[in-house]
């Protein structure tokens, strides 16, 4: 009769190992499937950085009525057990220029920021966007207690948003 022994790595050791894999999302995802300890350590890295950056598309598909925030990764990262892990939000790339209600991104961003209380870094730097995209999001930023850095481009530097951004306190960079 053979007795098998299973080596158990502590959570602290796993965190050190996953720090090396911090940007290798397929590897982190695979590690999260091993067991509960691996999952707990890997999810801290999987959900710490949320990036929404759609690629440029020369074709406008009006039949496409997909809401990127209501399915997949964005739905998962807004779950109550994953939301506190989010430390960085980046919105960049080629966003829809369609106005609300055809474009629901502004409401999805608002609800995401409301459920991510530990955000430390926010980047709003889209190359293409609707002018009112960040109107509901910028006023929520003072509520983020741990916010230390904001990077914006012309999308948030207009006369409506700039006064709100300047009033933010305890930032290391703006």
């Amino acid at each position: 009769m053979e007795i098998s022994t299973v080596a158990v790595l502590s959570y602290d050791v796993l965190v050190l190992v996953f720090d090396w894999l911090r940007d290798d999302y397929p590897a982190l995802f695979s590690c999260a499937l091993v067991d509960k300890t691996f999952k707990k350590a890997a999810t801290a890295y999987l959900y710490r950085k949320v990036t929404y950056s759609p690629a440029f598309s020369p074709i406008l598909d009006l039949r496409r009525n997909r809401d990127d925030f209501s399915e997949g990764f964005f739905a998962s990262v807004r779950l109550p057990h994953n939301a506190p892990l989010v430390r960085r939000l980046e919105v960049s790339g080629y966003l829809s220029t369609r106005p609300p209600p055809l474009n629901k991104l502004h409401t999805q961003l608002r609800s995401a920021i409301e459920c991510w209380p530990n955000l430390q870094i926010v980047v709003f730097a889209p190359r293409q966007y609707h002018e009112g995209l960040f109107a509901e999001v910028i006023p929520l930023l003072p509520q983020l207690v741990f916010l230390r850095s904001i990077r914006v481009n012309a999308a948030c530097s207009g006369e409506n948003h700039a006064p709100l951004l300047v009033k933010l306190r305890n930032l290391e960079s703006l």
Side-chain angles (χ1 to χ4, degrees):
M1 177 189 235
E2 184 177 315
I3 299 174
S4 65
T5 58
V6 177
V8 179
L9 294 174
S10 73
Y11 179 82
D12 296 330
V13 172
L14 289 175
V15 168
L16 293 172
V17 171
F18 293 156
D19 193 43
W20 284 88
L21 299 172
R22 77 178 131 235
D23 293 322
D24 187 354
Y25 292 101
L28 287 168
F29 177 75
S30 295
C31 290
L33 300 175
V34 173
D35 66 16
K36 288 182 181 181
T37 307
F38 274 66
K39 179 182 177 186
K40 184 178 177 185
T43 54
Y45 287 94
L46 283 170
Y47 293 115
R48 72 183 161 85
K49 182 169 53 172
V50 175
T51 301
Y52 182 67
S53 184
F56 175 73
S57 175
I59 300 169
L60 176 62
D61 186 1
L62 296 175
R63 292 177 293 167
R64 183 183 138 191
N65 192 18
R66 193 178 94 203
D67 182 7
D68 291 333
F69 275 80
S70 64
E71 55 190 42
F73 177 73
F74 293 107
S76 175
V77 78
R78 288 185 7 211
L79 292 173
H81 59 278
N82 294 330
L85 302 173
V86 179
R87 301 290 186 266
R88 183 178 198 273
L89 169 64
E90 179 178 339
V91 179
S92 58
Y94 295 88
L95 308 179
S96 173
T97 58
R98 299 173 82 184
L102 300 173
N103 182 358
K104 298 176 184 170
L105 181 58
H106 70 287
T107 57
Q108 297 291 351
L109 278 175
R110 184 188 69 229
S111 67
I113 288 203
E114 289 172 342
C115 77
W116 296 335
N118 297 325
L119 273 176
Q120 297 174 355
I121 301 169
V122 174
V123 178
F124 293 143
R127 292 181 180 217
Q128 173 182 304
Y129 54 92
H130 182 267
E131 62 187 29
L133 176 62
F134 299 108
E136 296 180 22
V137 176
I138 299 292
L140 296 176
L141 295 179
Q143 299 172 11
L144 299 172
V145 180
F146 301 105
L147 188 64
R148 58 184 170 92
S149 176
I150 298 177
R151 195 179 94 213
V152 298
N153 66 358
C156 297
S157 61
E159 61 186 44
N160 294 336
H161 302 307
L164 295 171
L165 291 173
V166 172
K167 290 180 182 176
L168 290 172
R169 300 288 178 226
N170 300 322
L171 291 179
E172 294 174 7
S173 67
L174 172 60

